[in-house]
PDB file of all heavy atoms in Angstrom:
ATOM      1  N   TRP A 857      17.695 -43.369 -10.411  1.00 64.00           N
ATOM      2  CA  TRP A 857      16.501 -43.044  -9.636  1.00 64.00           C
ATOM      3  C   TRP A 857      15.566 -42.133 -10.418  1.00 64.00           C
ATOM      4  O   TRP A 857      14.357 -42.336 -10.437  1.00 64.00           O
ATOM      5  CB  TRP A 857      16.883 -42.372  -8.321  1.00 64.00           C
ATOM      6  CG  TRP A 857      17.631 -43.277  -7.396  1.00 64.00           C
ATOM      7  CD1 TRP A 857      18.974 -43.367  -7.267  1.00 64.00           C
ATOM      8  CD2 TRP A 857      17.063 -44.237  -6.497  1.00 64.00           C
ATOM      9  NE1 TRP A 857      19.305 -44.320  -6.335  1.00 64.00           N
ATOM     10  CE2 TRP A 857      18.145 -44.867  -5.840  1.00 64.00           C
ATOM     11  CE3 TRP A 857      15.770 -44.614  -6.184  1.00 64.00           C
ATOM     12  CZ2 TRP A 857      17.964 -45.854  -4.887  1.00 64.00           C
ATOM     13  CZ3 TRP A 857      15.586 -45.591  -5.233  1.00 64.00           C
ATOM     14  CH2 TRP A 857      16.670 -46.208  -4.594  1.00 64.00           C
ATOM     15  N   GLU A 858      16.131 -41.085 -11.061  1.00 62.00           N
ATOM     16  CA  GLU A 858      15.286 -40.141 -11.782  1.00 62.00           C
ATOM     17  C   GLU A 858      14.916 -40.645 -13.173  1.00 62.00           C
ATOM     18  O   GLU A 858      13.765 -40.565 -13.596  1.00 62.00           O
ATOM     19  CB  GLU A 858      15.986 -38.771 -11.902  1.00 62.00           C
ATOM     20  CG  GLU A 858      16.140 -38.032 -10.593  1.00 62.00           C
ATOM     21  CD  GLU A 858      17.418 -38.390  -9.854  1.00 62.00           C
ATOM     22  OE1 GLU A 858      18.160 -39.262 -10.354  1.00 62.00           O
ATOM     23  OE2 GLU A 858      17.667 -37.816  -8.778  1.00 62.00           O
ATOM     24  N   ASP A 859      15.913 -41.205 -13.914  1.00 65.00           N
ATOM     25  CA  ASP A 859      15.682 -41.589 -15.303  1.00 65.00           C
ATOM     26  C   ASP A 859      14.863 -42.871 -15.436  1.00 65.00           C
ATOM     27  O   ASP A 859      14.072 -43.022 -16.363  1.00 65.00           O
ATOM     28  CB  ASP A 859      17.030 -41.765 -16.030  1.00 65.00           C
ATOM     29  CG  ASP A 859      17.821 -40.467 -16.038  1.00 65.00           C
ATOM     30  OD1 ASP A 859      17.184 -39.395 -15.947  1.00 65.00           O
ATOM     31  OD2 ASP A 859      19.057 -40.523 -16.116  1.00 65.00           O
ATOM     32  N   SER A 860      15.108 -43.809 -14.552  1.00 69.00           N
ATOM     33  CA  SER A 860      14.419 -45.097 -14.656  1.00 69.00           C
ATOM     34  C   SER A 860      14.006 -45.575 -13.267  1.00 69.00           C
ATOM     35  O   SER A 860      14.663 -46.433 -12.669  1.00 69.00           O
ATOM     36  CB  SER A 860      15.341 -46.133 -15.327  1.00 69.00           C
ATOM     37  OG  SER A 860      14.677 -47.369 -15.461  1.00 69.00           O
ATOM     38  N   PRO A 861      12.928 -45.007 -12.762  1.00 75.00           N
ATOM     39  CA  PRO A 861      12.498 -45.378 -11.408  1.00 75.00           C
ATOM     40  C   PRO A 861      12.132 -46.853 -11.292  1.00 75.00           C
ATOM     41  O   PRO A 861      12.194 -47.415 -10.203  1.00 75.00           O
ATOM     42  CB  PRO A 861      11.279 -44.474 -11.173  1.00 75.00           C
ATOM     43  CG  PRO A 861      10.832 -44.036 -12.522  1.00 75.00           C
ATOM     44  CD  PRO A 861      12.050 -43.976 -13.363  1.00 75.00           C
ATOM     45  N   ASP A 862      11.791 -47.500 -12.428  1.00 78.00           N
ATOM     46  CA  ASP A 862      11.452 -48.927 -12.377  1.00 78.00           C
ATOM     47  C   ASP A 862      12.658 -49.762 -11.971  1.00 78.00           C
ATOM     48  O   ASP A 862      12.535 -50.724 -11.208  1.00 78.00           O
ATOM     49  CB  ASP A 862      10.927 -49.398 -13.737  1.00 78.00           C
ATOM     50  CG  ASP A 862       9.555 -48.803 -14.050  1.00 78.00           C
ATOM     51  OD1 ASP A 862       8.904 -48.341 -13.099  1.00 78.00           O
ATOM     52  OD2 ASP A 862       9.172 -48.784 -15.229  1.00 78.00           O
ATOM     53  N   GLU A 863      13.842 -49.398 -12.483  1.00 81.00           N
ATOM     54  CA  GLU A 863      15.053 -50.142 -12.131  1.00 81.00           C
ATOM     55  C   GLU A 863      15.394 -49.944 -10.653  1.00 81.00           C
ATOM     56  O   GLU A 863      15.821 -50.885  -9.983  1.00 81.00           O
ATOM     57  CB  GLU A 863      16.218 -49.695 -13.011  1.00 81.00           C
ATOM     58  CG  GLU A 863      16.115 -50.145 -14.459  1.00 81.00           C
ATOM     59  CD  GLU A 863      17.374 -49.806 -15.241  1.00 81.00           C
ATOM     60  OE1 GLU A 863      18.343 -50.593 -15.173  1.00 81.00           O
ATOM     61  OE2 GLU A 863      17.400 -48.752 -15.900  1.00 81.00           O
ATOM     62  N   ALA A 864      15.218 -48.717 -10.188  1.00 80.00           N
ATOM     63  CA  ALA A 864      15.474 -48.458  -8.769  1.00 80.00           C
ATOM     64  C   ALA A 864      14.503 -49.249  -7.901  1.00 80.00           C
ATOM     65  O   ALA A 864      14.893 -49.835  -6.879  1.00 80.00           O
ATOM     66  CB  ALA A 864      15.345 -46.963  -8.487  1.00 80.00           C
ATOM     67  N   ALA A 865      13.237 -49.278  -8.335  1.00 85.00           N
ATOM     68  CA  ALA A 865      12.241 -50.033  -7.582  1.00 85.00           C
ATOM     69  C   ALA A 865      12.560 -51.522  -7.591  1.00 85.00           C
ATOM     70  O   ALA A 865      12.368 -52.226  -6.586  1.00 85.00           O
ATOM     71  CB  ALA A 865      10.851 -49.778  -8.169  1.00 85.00           C
ATOM     72  N   GLU A 866      13.061 -52.008  -8.709  1.00 85.00           N
ATOM     73  CA  GLU A 866      13.423 -53.427  -8.811  1.00 85.00           C
ATOM     74  C   GLU A 866      14.563 -53.759  -7.844  1.00 85.00           C
ATOM     75  O   GLU A 866      14.555 -54.812  -7.186  1.00 85.00           O
ATOM     76  CB  GLU A 866      13.853 -53.745 -10.250  1.00 85.00           C
ATOM     77  CG  GLU A 866      14.247 -55.212 -10.460  1.00 85.00           C
ATOM     78  CD  GLU A 866      14.823 -55.468 -11.839  1.00 85.00           C
ATOM     79  OE1 GLU A 866      15.462 -54.549 -12.399  1.00 85.00           O
ATOM     80  OE2 GLU A 866      14.660 -56.585 -12.344  1.00 85.00           O
ATOM     81  N   TYR A 867      15.524 -52.829  -7.748  1.00 85.00           N
ATOM     82  CA  TYR A 867      16.657 -53.051  -6.849  1.00 85.00           C
ATOM     83  C   TYR A 867      16.180 -53.093  -5.397  1.00 85.00           C
ATOM     84  O   TYR A 867      16.568 -53.979  -4.623  1.00 85.00           O
ATOM     85  CB  TYR A 867      17.690 -51.938  -7.031  1.00 85.00           C
ATOM     86  CG  TYR A 867      18.990 -52.195  -6.313  1.00 85.00           C
ATOM     87  CD1 TYR A 867      20.010 -52.929  -6.920  1.00 85.00           C
ATOM     88  CD2 TYR A 867      19.220 -51.712  -5.029  1.00 85.00           C
ATOM     89  CE1 TYR A 867      21.210 -53.169  -6.264  1.00 85.00           C
ATOM     90  CE2 TYR A 867      20.403 -51.941  -4.359  1.00 85.00           C
ATOM     91  CZ  TYR A 867      21.400 -52.674  -4.995  1.00 85.00           C
ATOM     92  OH  TYR A 867      22.577 -52.919  -4.343  1.00 85.00           O
ATOM     93  N   LEU A 868      15.322 -52.141  -5.026  1.00 85.00           N
ATOM     94  CA  LEU A 868      14.805 -52.118  -3.661  1.00 85.00           C
ATOM     95  C   LEU A 868      13.970 -53.356  -3.362  1.00 85.00           C
ATOM     96  O   LEU A 868      14.026 -53.902  -2.248  1.00 85.00           O
ATOM     97  CB  LEU A 868      13.973 -50.856  -3.441  1.00 85.00           C
ATOM     98  CG  LEU A 868      14.739 -49.525  -3.453  1.00 85.00           C
ATOM     99  CD1 LEU A 868      13.773 -48.360  -3.276  1.00 85.00           C
ATOM    100  CD2 LEU A 868      15.809 -49.490  -2.371  1.00 85.00           C
ATOM    101  N   SER A 869      13.230 -53.848  -4.356  1.00 82.00           N
ATOM    102  CA  SER A 869      12.434 -55.075  -4.171  1.00 82.00           C
ATOM    103  C   SER A 869      13.341 -56.274  -3.944  1.00 82.00           C
ATOM    104  O   SER A 869      13.036 -57.165  -3.139  1.00 82.00           O
ATOM    105  CB  SER A 869      11.539 -55.315  -5.389  1.00 82.00           C
ATOM    106  OG  SER A 869      10.577 -54.281  -5.500  1.00 82.00           O
ATOM    107  N   ALA A 870      14.476 -56.296  -4.675  1.00 84.00           N
ATOM    108  CA  ALA A 870      15.434 -57.390  -4.504  1.00 84.00           C
ATOM    109  C   ALA A 870      16.010 -57.373  -3.090  1.00 84.00           C
ATOM    110  O   ALA A 870      16.168 -58.423  -2.450  1.00 84.00           O
ATOM    111  CB  ALA A 870      16.553 -57.271  -5.539  1.00 84.00           C
ATOM    112  N   VAL A 871      16.320 -56.184  -2.598  1.00 84.00           N
ATOM    113  CA  VAL A 871      16.827 -56.060  -1.228  1.00 84.00           C
ATOM    114  C   VAL A 871      15.764 -56.544  -0.245  1.00 84.00           C
ATOM    115  O   VAL A 871      16.052 -57.302   0.696  1.00 84.00           O
ATOM    116  CB  VAL A 871      17.231 -54.603  -0.927  1.00 84.00           C
ATOM    117  CG1 VAL A 871      17.602 -54.448   0.551  1.00 84.00           C
ATOM    118  CG2 VAL A 871      18.399 -54.169  -1.804  1.00 84.00           C
TER     119      VAL A 871
END
Side-chain angles (χ1 to χ4, degrees):
W857 294 95
E858 292 88 357
D859 299 335
S860 181
D862 291 342
E863 289 186 84
E866 180 187 31
Y867 189 87
L868 292 178
S869 295
V871 173

